[in-house]
Amino acid sequence: MGKQQSKEKEMEPCKKEACLIQACLSKNDFLPHKCLKVIEMLQSCCEKCNYNSTHCASVSGLLKQKPK
């Protein structure tokens, strides 16, 4: 089972982080400022994989809502 998980991770980088954001937003009335930690985790993951993931497309929109 370990090989399947690592293969899946290669094919879908940042999926875990994207799922964490969705769960957080659902739990917090879809208020991004309450999910900054997981949003930043996704941003970090996307930077590591050079944004080569379908899950990274939403990061820019979420980051625009991040307070400066």
Side-chain angles (χ1 to χ4, degrees):
M1 195 152 88
K3 286 183 180 180
Q4 179 64 29
Q5 285 179 334
S6 63
K7 187 176 182 182
E8 191 175 296
K9 191 173 184 177
E10 286 175 24
M11 291 173 56
E12 284 292 339
C14 308
K15 182 176 182 177
K16 180 181 121 187
E17 292 82 356
C19 289
L20 289 172
I21 288 175
Q22 191 60 41
C24 180
L25 289 172
S26 294
K27 193 168 37 170
N28 290 290
D29 297 321
F30 293 90
L31 298 171
H33 69 274
K34 293 190 174 189
C35 300
L36 291 180
K37 185 177 179 183
V38 289
I39 291 169
E40 288 169 356
M41 287 169 54
L42 178 60
Q43 179 186 19
S44 176
C45 179
C46 290
E47 288 171 357
K48 287 178 189 169
C49 75
N50 295 315
Y51 290 83
N52 190 20
S53 171
T54 57
H55 302 290
C56 295
S58 62
V59 161
S60 61
L62 290 168
L63 292 174
K64 287 177 187 169
Q65 297 178 40
K66 190 170 129 178
K68 297 188 176 173

Short mmCIF file of all heavy atoms in Angstrom, two decimals:
data_model
loop_
_atom_site.label_atom_id
_atom_site.label_comp_id
_atom_site.label_asym_id
_atom_site.label_seq_id
_atom_site.Cartn_x
_atom_site.Cartn_y
_atom_site.Cartn_z
N MET A 1 0.83 -1.20 0.00
CA MET A 1 0.00 0.00 0.00
C MET A 1 0.87 1.26 0.00
O MET A 1 0.48 2.27 -0.52
CB MET A 1 -0.92 -0.02 1.22
CG MET A 1 -2.03 1.00 1.07
SD MET A 1 -3.52 0.58 1.94
CE MET A 1 -3.22 1.29 3.53
N GLY A 2 2.06 1.23 0.54
CA GLY A 2 2.95 2.37 0.57
C GLY A 2 3.31 2.88 -0.80
O GLY A 2 3.39 4.07 -1.03
N LYS A 3 3.52 1.94 -1.75
CA LYS A 3 3.87 2.35 -3.11
C LYS A 3 2.72 3.11 -3.76
O LYS A 3 2.93 4.08 -4.45
CB LYS A 3 4.24 1.13 -3.96
CG LYS A 3 5.58 0.56 -3.62
CD LYS A 3 5.91 -0.58 -4.55
CE LYS A 3 7.28 -1.16 -4.20
NZ LYS A 3 7.64 -2.26 -5.08
N GLN A 4 1.50 2.66 -3.54
CA GLN A 4 0.33 3.34 -4.12
C GLN A 4 0.22 4.75 -3.57
O GLN A 4 -0.04 5.68 -4.33
CB GLN A 4 -0.95 2.55 -3.80
CG GLN A 4 -2.22 3.20 -4.33
CD GLN A 4 -2.27 3.28 -5.84
OE1 GLN A 4 -1.70 2.44 -6.54
NE2 GLN A 4 -2.92 4.29 -6.36
N GLN A 5 0.44 4.93 -2.28
CA GLN A 5 0.33 6.27 -1.69
C GLN A 5 1.39 7.20 -2.26
O GLN A 5 1.11 8.34 -2.59
CB GLN A 5 0.48 6.19 -0.17
CG GLN A 5 -0.76 5.65 0.50
CD GLN A 5 -0.60 5.57 2.00
OE1 GLN A 5 0.51 5.45 2.51
NE2 GLN A 5 -1.70 5.61 2.72
N SER A 6 2.63 6.74 -2.41
CA SER A 6 3.68 7.61 -2.92
C SER A 6 3.43 7.93 -4.40
O SER A 6 3.68 9.03 -4.86
CB SER A 6 5.07 6.99 -2.72
OG SER A 6 5.19 5.79 -3.45
N LYS A 7 2.92 6.96 -5.15
CA LYS A 7 2.60 7.21 -6.56
C LYS A 7 1.47 8.23 -6.66
O LYS A 7 1.52 9.14 -7.47
CB LYS A 7 2.20 5.89 -7.23
CG LYS A 7 2.01 6.02 -8.73
CD LYS A 7 1.71 4.67 -9.36
CE LYS A 7 1.56 4.81 -10.85
NZ LYS A 7 1.21 3.55 -11.49
N GLU A 8 0.48 8.09 -5.81
CA GLU A 8 -0.64 9.02 -5.81
C GLU A 8 -0.17 10.43 -5.45
O GLU A 8 -0.59 11.42 -6.02
CB GLU A 8 -1.69 8.55 -4.79
CG GLU A 8 -3.01 9.29 -4.88
CD GLU A 8 -4.04 8.70 -3.95
OE1 GLU A 8 -4.42 7.54 -4.13
OE2 GLU A 8 -4.44 9.41 -3.02
N LYS A 9 0.76 10.52 -4.51
CA LYS A 9 1.29 11.81 -4.09
C LYS A 9 2.00 12.49 -5.25
O LYS A 9 1.89 13.70 -5.44
CB LYS A 9 2.23 11.62 -2.90
CG LYS A 9 2.63 12.90 -2.23
CD LYS A 9 3.41 12.63 -0.97
CE LYS A 9 3.72 13.92 -0.24
NZ LYS A 9 4.39 13.70 1.01
N GLU A 10 2.74 11.73 -6.04
CA GLU A 10 3.43 12.29 -7.20
C GLU A 10 2.44 12.80 -8.23
O GLU A 10 2.64 13.83 -8.84
CB GLU A 10 4.32 11.22 -7.85
CG GLU A 10 5.57 10.91 -7.07
CD GLU A 10 6.34 9.76 -7.70
OE1 GLU A 10 6.19 9.52 -8.91
OE2 GLU A 10 7.09 9.11 -6.97
N MET A 11 1.36 12.06 -8.45
CA MET A 11 0.38 12.42 -9.47
C MET A 11 -0.46 13.61 -9.04
O MET A 11 -0.86 14.41 -9.87
CB MET A 11 -0.52 11.23 -9.78
CG MET A 11 0.20 10.11 -10.48
SD MET A 11 -0.80 8.63 -10.67
CE MET A 11 -2.23 9.25 -11.53
N GLU A 12 -0.75 13.73 -7.78
CA GLU A 12 -1.61 14.79 -7.28
C GLU A 12 -0.93 15.54 -6.14
O GLU A 12 -1.35 15.45 -4.98
CB GLU A 12 -2.94 14.21 -6.79
CG GLU A 12 -3.88 13.83 -7.89
CD GLU A 12 -4.42 15.03 -8.66
OE1 GLU A 12 -4.40 16.15 -8.13
OE2 GLU A 12 -4.85 14.84 -9.80
N PRO A 13 0.13 16.29 -6.44
CA PRO A 13 0.77 17.03 -5.36
C PRO A 13 -0.20 18.06 -4.78
O PRO A 13 -1.04 18.61 -5.50
CB PRO A 13 1.96 17.71 -6.04
CG PRO A 13 1.67 17.68 -7.49
CD PRO A 13 0.76 16.53 -7.73
N CYS A 14 -0.13 18.25 -3.50
CA CYS A 14 -0.90 19.26 -2.77
C CYS A 14 -2.37 18.90 -2.57
O CYS A 14 -3.15 19.72 -2.09
CB CYS A 14 -0.76 20.63 -3.41
SG CYS A 14 0.95 21.13 -3.66
N LYS A 15 -2.76 17.68 -2.91
CA LYS A 15 -4.16 17.28 -2.73
C LYS A 15 -4.54 17.32 -1.24
O LYS A 15 -5.61 17.80 -0.89
CB LYS A 15 -4.37 15.88 -3.28
CG LYS A 15 -5.81 15.40 -3.17
CD LYS A 15 -6.00 14.05 -3.81
CE LYS A 15 -7.45 13.63 -3.73
NZ LYS A 15 -7.67 12.36 -4.41
N LYS A 16 -3.64 16.83 -0.39
CA LYS A 16 -3.91 16.81 1.04
C LYS A 16 -4.19 18.22 1.56
O LYS A 16 -5.16 18.46 2.28
CB LYS A 16 -2.73 16.19 1.79
CG LYS A 16 -2.91 16.13 3.28
CD LYS A 16 -1.68 15.54 3.93
CE LYS A 16 -1.14 16.55 4.90
NZ LYS A 16 0.12 16.22 5.50
N GLU A 17 -3.35 19.17 1.17
CA GLU A 17 -3.50 20.54 1.62
C GLU A 17 -4.79 21.17 1.10
O GLU A 17 -5.49 21.89 1.82
CB GLU A 17 -2.29 21.38 1.20
CG GLU A 17 -1.00 21.02 1.90
CD GLU A 17 -0.26 19.82 1.31
OE1 GLU A 17 -0.78 19.18 0.36
OE2 GLU A 17 0.85 19.52 1.80
N ALA A 18 -5.12 20.87 -0.15
CA ALA A 18 -6.36 21.39 -0.73
C ALA A 18 -7.58 20.85 0.01
O ALA A 18 -8.55 21.59 0.27
CB ALA A 18 -6.45 21.04 -2.21
N CYS A 19 -7.53 19.59 0.38
CA CYS A 19 -8.64 18.98 1.14
C CYS A 19 -8.76 19.60 2.53
O CYS A 19 -9.86 19.81 3.03
CB CYS A 19 -8.46 17.47 1.23
SG CYS A 19 -8.72 16.64 -0.35
N LEU A 20 -7.61 19.90 3.14
CA LEU A 20 -7.63 20.54 4.45
C LEU A 20 -8.27 21.92 4.37
O LEU A 20 -9.02 22.32 5.27
CB LEU A 20 -6.21 20.65 5.02
CG LEU A 20 -5.56 19.34 5.46
CD1 LEU A 20 -4.09 19.57 5.82
CD2 LEU A 20 -6.30 18.75 6.64
N ILE A 21 -7.98 22.65 3.31
CA ILE A 21 -8.59 23.98 3.13
C ILE A 21 -10.10 23.85 2.98
O ILE A 21 -10.86 24.58 3.60
CB ILE A 21 -8.00 24.71 1.90
CG1 ILE A 21 -6.57 25.16 2.21
CG2 ILE A 21 -8.87 25.91 1.52
CD1 ILE A 21 -5.87 25.78 1.03
N GLN A 22 -10.53 22.91 2.16
CA GLN A 22 -11.97 22.73 1.95
C GLN A 22 -12.67 22.40 3.26
O GLN A 22 -13.73 22.96 3.57
CB GLN A 22 -12.23 21.63 0.91
CG GLN A 22 -13.65 21.56 0.45
CD GLN A 22 -14.14 22.85 -0.19
OE1 GLN A 22 -13.43 23.50 -0.95
NE2 GLN A 22 -15.35 23.25 0.12
N ALA A 23 -12.06 21.52 4.05
CA ALA A 23 -12.65 21.15 5.34
C ALA A 23 -12.70 22.36 6.28
O ALA A 23 -13.70 22.59 6.96
CB ALA A 23 -11.86 20.01 5.97
N CYS A 24 -11.62 23.12 6.30
CA CYS A 24 -11.55 24.29 7.17
C CYS A 24 -12.59 25.33 6.76
O CYS A 24 -13.31 25.87 7.60
CB CYS A 24 -10.14 24.88 7.13
SG CYS A 24 -9.95 26.34 8.18
N LEU A 25 -12.67 25.61 5.47
CA LEU A 25 -13.64 26.60 5.00
C LEU A 25 -15.08 26.16 5.30
O LEU A 25 -15.90 26.97 5.72
CB LEU A 25 -13.46 26.83 3.50
CG LEU A 25 -12.19 27.59 3.09
CD1 LEU A 25 -12.04 27.58 1.57
CD2 LEU A 25 -12.20 29.00 3.62
N SER A 26 -15.36 24.88 5.11
CA SER A 26 -16.70 24.36 5.39
C SER A 26 -17.06 24.54 6.87
O SER A 26 -18.18 24.90 7.21
CB SER A 26 -16.79 22.88 5.04
OG SER A 26 -16.64 22.71 3.66
N LYS A 27 -16.07 24.31 7.72
CA LYS A 27 -16.29 24.40 9.16
C LYS A 27 -16.39 25.85 9.64
O LYS A 27 -16.96 26.12 10.68
CB LYS A 27 -15.12 23.70 9.87
CG LYS A 27 -15.34 23.44 11.33
CD LYS A 27 -14.32 22.51 11.96
CE LYS A 27 -12.91 22.68 11.46
NZ LYS A 27 -11.92 21.95 12.26
N ASN A 28 -15.85 26.78 8.86
CA ASN A 28 -15.77 28.18 9.29
C ASN A 28 -16.56 29.13 8.39
O ASN A 28 -16.14 30.25 8.12
CB ASN A 28 -14.30 28.62 9.35
CG ASN A 28 -13.57 27.95 10.49
OD1 ASN A 28 -13.81 28.25 11.64
ND2 ASN A 28 -12.68 27.03 10.15
N ASP A 29 -17.72 28.68 7.93
CA ASP A 29 -18.62 29.51 7.12
C ASP A 29 -17.94 30.13 5.91
O ASP A 29 -18.25 31.24 5.50
CB ASP A 29 -19.25 30.61 7.98
CG ASP A 29 -20.12 30.05 9.08
OD1 ASP A 29 -20.83 29.04 8.82
OD2 ASP A 29 -20.10 30.59 10.20
N PHE A 30 -16.98 29.40 5.34
CA PHE A 30 -16.27 29.83 4.13
C PHE A 30 -15.60 31.20 4.29
O PHE A 30 -15.57 32.01 3.36
CB PHE A 30 -17.19 29.78 2.91
CG PHE A 30 -17.54 28.36 2.57
CD1 PHE A 30 -18.66 27.75 3.13
CD2 PHE A 30 -16.73 27.59 1.74
CE1 PHE A 30 -18.97 26.42 2.86
CE2 PHE A 30 -17.04 26.27 1.46
CZ PHE A 30 -18.14 25.68 2.02
N LEU A 31 -15.03 31.43 5.48
CA LEU A 31 -14.29 32.67 5.74
C LEU A 31 -12.79 32.36 5.67
O LEU A 31 -12.23 31.77 6.60
CB LEU A 31 -14.66 33.22 7.13
CG LEU A 31 -16.14 33.60 7.29
CD1 LEU A 31 -16.45 33.93 8.74
CD2 LEU A 31 -16.48 34.78 6.38
N PRO A 32 -12.14 32.74 4.57
CA PRO A 32 -10.73 32.39 4.37
C PRO A 32 -9.79 32.86 5.49
O PRO A 32 -8.82 32.19 5.80
CB PRO A 32 -10.36 33.06 3.04
CG PRO A 32 -11.65 33.25 2.35
CD PRO A 32 -12.67 33.46 3.43
N HIS A 33 -10.11 34.00 6.12
CA HIS A 33 -9.20 34.50 7.15
C HIS A 33 -9.13 33.57 8.37
O HIS A 33 -8.20 33.66 9.16
CB HIS A 33 -9.59 35.93 7.57
CG HIS A 33 -10.89 36.02 8.30
ND1 HIS A 33 -12.10 36.13 7.64
CD2 HIS A 33 -11.17 36.03 9.62
CE1 HIS A 33 -13.07 36.19 8.54
NE2 HIS A 33 -12.54 36.13 9.75
N LYS A 34 -10.10 32.66 8.49
CA LYS A 34 -10.07 31.69 9.59
C LYS A 34 -9.27 30.44 9.22
O LYS A 34 -9.09 29.56 10.05
CB LYS A 34 -11.49 31.30 9.98
CG LYS A 34 -12.26 32.44 10.61
CD LYS A 34 -13.55 31.96 11.20
CE LYS A 34 -14.23 33.10 11.94
NZ LYS A 34 -15.38 32.63 12.71
N CYS A 35 -8.77 30.39 7.99
CA CYS A 35 -8.05 29.20 7.51
C CYS A 35 -6.67 29.55 6.97
O CYS A 35 -6.13 28.85 6.11
CB CYS A 35 -8.88 28.51 6.42
SG CYS A 35 -10.51 27.98 6.99
N LEU A 36 -6.09 30.62 7.46
CA LEU A 36 -4.81 31.09 6.91
C LEU A 36 -3.71 30.05 7.02
O LEU A 36 -2.89 29.91 6.10
CB LEU A 36 -4.37 32.38 7.61
CG LEU A 36 -5.22 33.60 7.28
CD1 LEU A 36 -4.70 34.82 8.03
CD2 LEU A 36 -5.25 33.87 5.79
N LYS A 37 -3.68 29.30 8.11
CA LYS A 37 -2.60 28.32 8.29
C LYS A 37 -2.63 27.27 7.18
O LYS A 37 -1.59 26.97 6.58
CB LYS A 37 -2.72 27.65 9.66
CG LYS A 37 -1.58 26.72 9.96
CD LYS A 37 -1.69 26.14 11.36
CE LYS A 37 -0.54 25.19 11.62
NZ LYS A 37 -0.64 24.55 12.92
N VAL A 38 -3.80 26.73 6.88
CA VAL A 38 -3.87 25.70 5.84
C VAL A 38 -3.71 26.31 4.45
O VAL A 38 -3.17 25.67 3.55
CB VAL A 38 -5.16 24.84 5.94
CG1 VAL A 38 -5.11 23.93 7.14
CG2 VAL A 38 -6.41 25.68 5.97
N ILE A 39 -4.13 27.55 4.26
CA ILE A 39 -3.92 28.22 2.98
C ILE A 39 -2.42 28.39 2.75
O ILE A 39 -1.91 28.15 1.65
CB ILE A 39 -4.65 29.58 2.94
CG1 ILE A 39 -6.17 29.36 2.90
CG2 ILE A 39 -4.21 30.41 1.73
CD1 ILE A 39 -7.00 30.61 3.12
N GLU A 40 -1.71 28.78 3.79
CA GLU A 40 -0.26 28.94 3.68
C GLU A 40 0.43 27.59 3.44
O GLU A 40 1.44 27.52 2.74
CB GLU A 40 0.29 29.64 4.91
CG GLU A 40 -0.10 31.12 4.93
CD GLU A 40 0.18 31.81 6.25
OE1 GLU A 40 0.62 31.15 7.22
OE2 GLU A 40 -0.05 33.04 6.31
N MET A 41 -0.12 26.52 4.01
CA MET A 41 0.43 25.18 3.76
C MET A 41 0.29 24.82 2.29
O MET A 41 1.21 24.26 1.68
CB MET A 41 -0.28 24.13 4.63
CG MET A 41 0.11 24.19 6.09
SD MET A 41 -0.95 23.17 7.17
CE MET A 41 -0.86 21.57 6.41
N LEU A 42 -0.85 25.14 1.70
CA LEU A 42 -1.05 24.87 0.27
C LEU A 42 -0.12 25.72 -0.58
O LEU A 42 0.48 25.22 -1.53
CB LEU A 42 -2.51 25.11 -0.14
CG LEU A 42 -2.82 24.89 -1.62
CD1 LEU A 42 -2.52 23.45 -2.06
CD2 LEU A 42 -4.27 25.23 -1.94
N GLN A 43 0.04 26.97 -0.21
CA GLN A 43 0.95 27.84 -0.95
C GLN A 43 2.36 27.27 -0.93
O GLN A 43 3.04 27.21 -1.96
CB GLN A 43 0.95 29.25 -0.37
CG GLN A 43 1.90 30.18 -1.13
CD GLN A 43 2.03 31.53 -0.48
OE1 GLN A 43 1.72 31.73 0.68
NE2 GLN A 43 2.51 32.49 -1.25
N SER A 44 2.80 26.82 0.23
CA SER A 44 4.14 26.25 0.36
C SER A 44 4.29 25.00 -0.50
O SER A 44 5.29 24.82 -1.18
CB SER A 44 4.40 25.93 1.83
OG SER A 44 5.64 25.30 1.99
N CYS A 45 3.27 24.15 -0.49
CA CYS A 45 3.30 22.94 -1.30
C CYS A 45 3.37 23.29 -2.79
O CYS A 45 4.14 22.70 -3.53
CB CYS A 45 2.07 22.09 -1.01
SG CYS A 45 2.01 20.57 -1.98
N CYS A 46 2.57 24.26 -3.19
CA CYS A 46 2.55 24.67 -4.60
C CYS A 46 3.89 25.24 -5.03
O CYS A 46 4.34 25.00 -6.14
CB CYS A 46 1.42 25.67 -4.84
SG CYS A 46 -0.21 24.92 -4.71
N GLU A 47 4.53 25.98 -4.14
CA GLU A 47 5.85 26.52 -4.46
C GLU A 47 6.86 25.38 -4.64
O GLU A 47 7.69 25.42 -5.54
CB GLU A 47 6.31 27.48 -3.36
CG GLU A 47 5.55 28.79 -3.39
CD GLU A 47 5.82 29.68 -2.19
OE1 GLU A 47 6.56 29.27 -1.27
OE2 GLU A 47 5.25 30.79 -2.16
N LYS A 48 6.75 24.35 -3.80
CA LYS A 48 7.67 23.21 -3.89
C LYS A 48 7.50 22.43 -5.18
O LYS A 48 8.47 21.90 -5.72
CB LYS A 48 7.47 22.27 -2.69
CG LYS A 48 8.02 22.82 -1.40
CD LYS A 48 7.76 21.87 -0.25
CE LYS A 48 8.11 22.53 1.07
NZ LYS A 48 7.64 21.75 2.21
N CYS A 49 6.29 22.35 -5.68
CA CYS A 49 6.05 21.60 -6.93
C CYS A 49 5.94 22.53 -8.14
O CYS A 49 5.43 22.14 -9.18
CB CYS A 49 4.82 20.70 -6.80
SG CYS A 49 3.23 21.55 -6.88
N ASN A 50 6.39 23.78 -7.98
CA ASN A 50 6.34 24.78 -9.05
C ASN A 50 4.94 24.97 -9.62
O ASN A 50 4.76 25.13 -10.82
CB ASN A 50 7.34 24.42 -10.16
CG ASN A 50 8.76 24.49 -9.68
OD1 ASN A 50 9.15 25.44 -9.00
ND2 ASN A 50 9.54 23.47 -9.99
N TYR A 51 3.95 24.90 -8.75
CA TYR A 51 2.54 25.09 -9.12
C TYR A 51 2.09 24.07 -10.17
O TYR A 51 1.14 24.32 -10.92
CB TYR A 51 2.28 26.53 -9.59
CG TYR A 51 2.37 27.50 -8.44
CD1 TYR A 51 3.61 28.00 -8.02
CD2 TYR A 51 1.24 27.90 -7.76
CE1 TYR A 51 3.70 28.87 -6.94
CE2 TYR A 51 1.32 28.76 -6.68
CZ TYR A 51 2.55 29.24 -6.28
OH TYR A 51 2.64 30.09 -5.21
N ASN A 52 2.76 22.92 -10.21
CA ASN A 52 2.43 21.87 -11.16
C ASN A 52 1.40 20.91 -10.55
O ASN A 52 1.66 19.73 -10.38
CB ASN A 52 3.71 21.13 -11.57
CG ASN A 52 3.47 20.20 -12.73
OD1 ASN A 52 2.51 20.34 -13.46
ND2 ASN A 52 4.34 19.22 -12.89
N SER A 53 0.26 21.45 -10.18
CA SER A 53 -0.82 20.66 -9.59
C SER A 53 -2.14 21.36 -9.86
O SER A 53 -2.22 22.58 -9.80
CB SER A 53 -0.61 20.51 -8.08
OG SER A 53 -1.75 19.93 -7.49
N THR A 54 -3.16 20.58 -10.12
CA THR A 54 -4.49 21.16 -10.33
C THR A 54 -4.98 21.86 -9.06
O THR A 54 -5.82 22.75 -9.13
CB THR A 54 -5.51 20.08 -10.72
OG1 THR A 54 -5.53 19.07 -9.72
CG2 THR A 54 -5.16 19.45 -12.06
N HIS A 55 -4.44 21.47 -7.92
CA HIS A 55 -4.89 22.03 -6.64
C HIS A 55 -4.30 23.41 -6.38
O HIS A 55 -4.69 24.08 -5.43
CB HIS A 55 -4.54 21.08 -5.50
CG HIS A 55 -5.15 19.73 -5.69
ND1 HIS A 55 -6.51 19.50 -5.59
CD2 HIS A 55 -4.60 18.54 -6.03
CE1 HIS A 55 -6.75 18.23 -5.84
NE2 HIS A 55 -5.62 17.63 -6.11
N CYS A 56 -3.36 23.83 -7.19
CA CYS A 56 -2.70 25.12 -6.96
C CYS A 56 -3.41 26.28 -7.65
O CYS A 56 -3.10 27.44 -7.38
CB CYS A 56 -1.24 25.05 -7.41
SG CYS A 56 -0.29 23.87 -6.42
N ALA A 57 -4.35 26.00 -8.51
CA ALA A 57 -5.04 27.07 -9.24
C ALA A 57 -5.80 28.00 -8.31
O ALA A 57 -5.89 29.20 -8.56
CB ALA A 57 -5.98 26.46 -10.27
N SER A 58 -6.32 27.47 -7.22
CA SER A 58 -7.15 28.28 -6.32
C SER A 58 -6.32 29.09 -5.33
O SER A 58 -6.85 29.97 -4.66
CB SER A 58 -8.11 27.38 -5.55
OG SER A 58 -7.38 26.48 -4.76
N VAL A 59 -5.04 28.81 -5.23
CA VAL A 59 -4.21 29.47 -4.22
C VAL A 59 -4.17 30.99 -4.39
O VAL A 59 -4.31 31.72 -3.43
CB VAL A 59 -2.78 28.90 -4.23
CG1 VAL A 59 -1.79 29.83 -3.56
CG2 VAL A 59 -2.75 27.58 -3.52
N SER A 60 -4.01 31.46 -5.60
CA SER A 60 -3.87 32.91 -5.82
C SER A 60 -5.11 33.66 -5.34
O SER A 60 -5.01 34.71 -4.72
CB SER A 60 -3.56 33.22 -7.27
OG SER A 60 -4.60 32.77 -8.10
N GLY A 61 -6.29 33.13 -5.61
CA GLY A 61 -7.50 33.77 -5.15
C GLY A 61 -7.61 33.80 -3.63
O GLY A 61 -8.03 34.81 -3.06
N LEU A 62 -7.22 32.74 -3.00
CA LEU A 62 -7.26 32.69 -1.53
C LEU A 62 -6.24 33.64 -0.93
O LEU A 62 -6.51 34.30 0.07
CB LEU A 62 -7.00 31.26 -1.04
CG LEU A 62 -8.10 30.25 -1.30
CD1 LEU A 62 -7.62 28.85 -1.04
CD2 LEU A 62 -9.31 30.56 -0.43
N LEU A 63 -5.08 33.73 -1.53
CA LEU A 63 -4.04 34.60 -0.99
C LEU A 63 -4.39 36.07 -1.12
O LEU A 63 -3.99 36.89 -0.30
CB LEU A 63 -2.70 34.33 -1.68
CG LEU A 63 -2.10 32.95 -1.35
CD1 LEU A 63 -0.86 32.71 -2.20
CD2 LEU A 63 -1.77 32.84 0.11
N LYS A 64 -5.17 36.43 -2.13
CA LYS A 64 -5.60 37.82 -2.29
C LYS A 64 -6.47 38.26 -1.12
O LYS A 64 -6.55 39.44 -0.81
CB LYS A 64 -6.37 37.99 -3.61
CG LYS A 64 -5.47 37.95 -4.82
CD LYS A 64 -6.29 38.05 -6.09
CE LYS A 64 -5.39 37.84 -7.30
NZ LYS A 64 -6.17 37.66 -8.53
N GLN A 65 -7.15 37.30 -0.48
CA GLN A 65 -8.04 37.62 0.63
C GLN A 65 -7.30 37.65 1.96
O GLN A 65 -7.86 38.01 2.98
CB GLN A 65 -9.16 36.59 0.69
CG GLN A 65 -10.02 36.62 -0.55
CD GLN A 65 -11.11 35.57 -0.52
OE1 GLN A 65 -11.69 35.32 0.52
NE2 GLN A 65 -11.36 34.94 -1.65
N LYS A 66 -6.03 37.26 1.95
CA LYS A 66 -5.22 37.22 3.16
C LYS A 66 -4.91 38.65 3.61
O LYS A 66 -4.44 39.45 2.81
CB LYS A 66 -3.94 36.45 2.85
CG LYS A 66 -3.09 36.12 4.02
CD LYS A 66 -2.01 35.16 3.57
CE LYS A 66 -0.67 35.64 4.00
NZ LYS A 66 0.41 34.76 3.63
N PRO A 67 -5.15 38.98 4.87
CA PRO A 67 -4.82 40.32 5.35
C PRO A 67 -3.31 40.58 5.30
O PRO A 67 -2.53 39.67 5.53
CB PRO A 67 -5.33 40.35 6.78
CG PRO A 67 -5.64 38.96 7.14
CD PRO A 67 -5.70 38.14 5.89
N LYS A 68 -2.94 41.80 5.00
CA LYS A 68 -1.52 42.14 4.89
C LYS A 68 -0.97 42.66 6.18
O LYS A 68 -1.59 43.18 7.00
CB LYS A 68 -1.31 43.14 3.79
CG LYS A 68 -1.71 42.53 2.48
CD LYS A 68 -1.35 43.39 1.30
CE LYS A 68 -1.73 42.61 0.10
NZ LYS A 68 -1.71 43.01 -1.12
#
